[in-house]
């Protein structure tokens, strides 16, 4: 990949992220907030702010839904199409061991992708203000704590050296320090 393509990808990512944040910030300024200012969640995010509003949040919710569809579902579809091509190429491999290794690598990545996109879609692609529930908090914890923690674990545990070191630590032959 050329430096120009890399730079273009970075600029487009930054521009889309900035535009998305600016749109949501500007539409939040149109809302009226009154009453209790306590968020029933462990972090402040758009759906939780919508619940504090005294005015209609339909436009904000629609914008959030459309932005999530564009910025989450589009990459998910592209990843799915890409992996369909990868699976077709892997099935052409004659070696059973080669196919197993390739599917193992793809399986790890797809696990992380499904966890990340699944929780993100659950959080942001729901129309209609709903009361914050324990389920929302659980998904929030999963999205902000568990997913980032699982990512390096899933990829590093595929390494035989890491597996061996972990096994030695778990069976008590070696300490962590």
């Amino acid at each position: 990949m050329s430096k120009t393509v890399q730079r273009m990808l970075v600029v487009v990512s930054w521009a889309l992220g900035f535009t998305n944040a600016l749109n949501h910030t500007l539409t939040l300024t149109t809302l009226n907030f009154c009453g209790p200012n306590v968020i029933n969640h462990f972090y402040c995010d758009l759906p939780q702010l919508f619940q504090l509003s005294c005015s209609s949040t339909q436009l904000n919710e629609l914008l959030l839904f459309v932005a999530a569809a564009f910025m989450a579902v589009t990459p998910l579809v592209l990843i799915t199409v890409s992996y369909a091509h990868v699976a077709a190429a892997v099935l052409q491999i004659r070696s059973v061991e080669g196919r197993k290794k390739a599917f193992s690598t793809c399986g790890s990545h797809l696990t992380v992708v499904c966890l990340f996109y699944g929780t993100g879609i659950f959080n942001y692609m729901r129309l209609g203000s709903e009361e914050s529930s324990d389920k929302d908090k659980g998904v929030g914890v999963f999205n902000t704590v568990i997913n980032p923690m699982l990512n390096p674990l899933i990829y590093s545990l595929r390494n035989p050296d890491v597996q061996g070191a972990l096994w030695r630590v778990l069976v008590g032959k070696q300490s962590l320090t």
Side-chain angles (χ1 to χ4, degrees), residues 16-78:
L16 286 175
F18 179 77
T19 303
N20 182 47
L22 183 63
N23 282 337
H24 290 298
T25 302
L26 291 175
T27 57
L28 271 176
T29 62
T30 65
L31 296 179
N32 296 319
F33 294 96
C34 56
N37 59 351
V38 176
I39 294 176
N40 186 18
H41 212 285
F42 70 95
Y43 63 88
C44 181
D45 203 5
L46 290 170
Q48 288 76 36
L49 288 174
F50 296 162
Q51 293 172 5
L52 299 179
S53 176
C54 301
S55 54
S56 173
T57 59
Q58 285 181 331
L59 175 64
N60 300 73
E61 291 169 3
L62 183 62
L63 179 63
L64 181 61
F65 184 85
V66 170
F70 177 70
M71 296 179 81
V73 175
T74 302
L76 184 58
V77 167
L78 293 174

Side-chain angles (χ1 to χ4, degrees), residues 78-135:
L78 293 174
I79 289 169
T80 304
V81 168
S82 170
Y83 267 98
H85 288 288
V86 168
V90 168
L91 289 173
Q92 307 260 336
I93 297 174
R94 295 176 196 255
S95 158
V96 173
E97 187 62 34
R99 277 195 304 261
K100 181 180 174 188
K101 186 174 181 179
F103 278 130
S104 174
T105 301
C106 294
S108 298
H109 182 251
L110 284 176
T111 300
V112 171
V113 167
C114 289
L115 290 172
F116 176 76
Y117 280 103
T119 56
I121 288 171
F122 179 84
N123 278 336
Y124 300 111
M125 293 196 67
R126 295 184 294 172
L127 290 175
S129 289
E130 300 171 11
E131 286 296 315
S132 183
S133 68
D134 289 338
K135 191 185 318 179

